[in-house]
Amino acid sequence: MTVHYSVAKNKKRPEDNVRQYFFVMLTTGENRDHDSATSAKIQAGHMANINKLYYEGKLKVAGPFGDDGNWRGLFIFDCASKEEVETLLKTDPAIAAGRLAYEIHPWWTAEMGSFKPGIPKKK
């Protein structure tokens, strides 16, 4: 399928603004034997960290999968390097506790919708 955009002169089309992000597949970690109180505390920290990274403009997408498979969730980061993503992942209490593991992959998309660069405005 070919998509044609009618674009004013000197105006970039969305596909002209493709840039790299980082896709993170969150998988089941090796340490899932925490008691329920500890698990709840780790999860609360995990959610707070997601919120923090989002409002810093680093995390564009986050969410769990709806089944109970090895894939637990995903993140998409807007960072300069894989090393920066790795550093930010280590701030996640669920990863630090071993409840989640991860794989990092470079991923490309146009700068539009959720993928606009910068820090989002708080509602």
Side-chain angles (χ1 to χ4, degrees):
M1 179 171 110
T2 303
V3 178
H4 298 279
Y5 293 90
S6 94
V7 179
K9 191 172 184 177
N10 297 325
K11 187 170 182 175
K12 287 187 174 184
R13 301 169 304 166
E15 64 269 27
D16 294 333
N17 292 315
V18 172
R19 64 190 291 259
Q20 180 175 306
Y21 294 85
F22 290 90
F23 177 93
V24 176
M25 178 62 71
L26 297 170
T27 58
T28 303
E30 293 185 11
N31 185 6
R32 302 208 37 106
D33 296 330
H34 301 96
D35 61 64
S36 60
T38 302
S39 294
K41 183 177 178 182
I42 291 168
Q43 183 65 16
H46 172 67
M47 298 305 293
N49 194 59
I50 287 170
N51 194 54
K52 174 183 165 290
L53 293 173
Y54 174 77
Y55 283 109
E56 289 175 353
K58 298 296 182 180
L59 188 60
K60 295 297 182 185
V61 175
F65 290 105
D67 56 17
D68 198 28
N70 189 49
W71 291 1
R72 307 307 297 172
L74 66 88
F75 291 151
I76 297 177
F77 280 94
D78 184 2
C79 292
S81 67
K82 182 177 180 179
E83 292 76 21
E84 181 182 3
V85 174
E86 185 104 38
T87 297
L88 294 174
L89 287 169
K90 290 178 181 177
T91 68
D92 189 307
I95 290 170
R99 288 188 66 74
L100 293 175
Y102 58 86
E103 298 175 11
I104 304 171
H105 301 275
W107 183 74
W108 299 83
T109 195
E111 297 176 355
M112 52 198 266
S114 295
F115 298 100
K116 290 182 181 171
I119 299 171
K121 294 180 178 148
K122 289 193 177 185
K123 294 180 182 179

